[in-house]
Amino acid sequence: PTRTAVSQEAEEAEYFAVFMQGKKVGHAAHTRSVEGDRVTTSEDVSITISRLGIPLTVRMTDISVETTAGKPLSFESIQVLGTMTVIKVTGTISSDGVVELVSTSMGAEQKTTIPWPEGAIMSEGLRLVTLEKGLTPGSEYRVKIFNPSVTQALDAVVSIGPKREVDLLGRVVKLTEVTSTLAMPGSGPITSTSYVDDSMAALKNSMSIAGMNVDMIACPKEFALGENDVLE
């Protein structure tokens, strides 16, 4: 069916292949949809690794709902291990800055409230900041990013680097290097390098997790969702 320009404008989905140590271990999907003055952004990552020859799939989904001006409204974070939903956290942010949290772990539900961290932003807020700051090489700025899975705001420093030729699975594109350093509680800073096009879309992201190189590379949906390699 043909989609009208309006509905296409309202929802964009990007797919990525996820590589660990050079092997394709899964996929990621980034979806942004706009309905009226509400923007819903979802990040869905699925990774399959093999332990003693038995494949295990881990799925992480983060969803944020904000106004088109980037004001946070609600969020949801789900972690699924194999066939079990391990942890699910949902939060609703009231106009007076109180977050109603509902967390479900192994079937047990817990309700709490936390204050919304002052000045913290989520996906759309970050997109608006990056568009406003632009891609001037050598520039640097700080943001507070609310992370749904740890339910707290993390300080991040974003540094804009030069334009580089980046290999996207055989397609070489000139992209701007953007380095983000996130202060993770308890584990020290986590640095990731993104390569973005002129409209700020990240086409490649590289980071090191537990000493392993993890790359996410934009690609057609069929390849992203296609067969994975075996990584022990």
Side-chain angles (χ1 to χ4, degrees):
T2 55
R3 297 175 69 178
T4 63
V6 176
S7 71
Q8 205 166 352
E9 183 74 23
E11 179 162 311
E12 310 148 19
E14 293 156 352
Y15 289 88
F16 301 82
V18 180
F19 294 87
M20 282 171 90
Q21 303 296 76
K23 293 189 171 200
K24 180 178 180 287
V25 291
H27 69 271
H30 174 94
T31 313
R32 176 180 175 272
S33 60
V34 184
E35 215 172 289
D37 63 350
R38 290 163 75 96
V39 182
T40 303
T41 312
S42 76
E43 297 277 356
D44 190 32
V45 181
S46 173
I47 292 173
T48 302
I49 49 178
S50 187
R51 295 187 87 159
L52 304 173
I54 299 164
L56 178 71
T57 299
V58 183
R59 251 188 102 157
M60 293 158 287
T61 305
D62 279 347
I63 301 165
S64 62
V65 182
E66 298 155 86
T67 67
T68 45
K71 182 175 183 287
L73 299 172
S74 66
F75 58 85
E76 188 172 354
S77 174
I78 306 160
Q79 295 177 37
V80 179
L81 193 63
T83 54
M84 303 183 301
T85 300
V86 187
I87 304 168
K88 180 176 175 181
V89 180
T90 58
T92 309
I93 302 129
S94 67
S95 53
D96 55 1
V98 175
V99 185
E100 300 275 346
L101 275 183
V102 180
S103 29
T104 314
S105 178
M106 298 301 187
E109 192 177 272
Q110 195 181 2
K111 292 186 178 182
T112 47
T113 59
I114 58 167
W116 178 258
E118 198 179 335
I121 53 178
M122 293 195 298
S123 302
E124 185 64 12
L126 182 60
R127 194 183 80 86
L128 294 171
V129 170
T130 53
L131 286 171
E132 181 200 335
K133 299 286 186 187
L135 290 173
T136 310
S139 63
E140 190 174 274
Y141 55 91
R142 291 170 184 275
V143 279
K144 262 169 100 166
I145 302 170
F146 187 81
N147 182 316
S149 58
V150 293
T151 61
Q152 61 191 63
L154 306 175
D155 290 308
V157 178
V158 181
S159 311
I160 309 298
K163 274 202 163 178
R164 298 190 188 280
E165 293 207 330
V166 180
D167 185 342
L168 303 175
L169 306 174
R171 182 168 65 103
V172 178
V173 187
K174 258 201 137 146
L175 301 170
T176 300
E177 186 176 270
V178 179
T179 306
S180 306
T181 304
L182 205 59
M184 278 302 271
S187 66
I190 289 184
T191 299
S192 66
T193 306
S194 296
Y195 296 92
V196 305
D197 65 15
D198 293 342
S199 67
M200 290 288 181
L203 300 183
K204 180 177 177 178
N205 187 296
S206 300
M207 66 195 310
S208 175
I209 299 175
M212 289 206 284
N213 291 331
V214 180
D215 292 314
M216 292 163 104
I217 302 175
C219 63
K221 180 180 178 179
E222 296 72 35
F223 181 78
L225 301 181
E227 207 170 320
N228 293 321
D229 299 324
V230 175
L231 179 72
E232 276 287 339

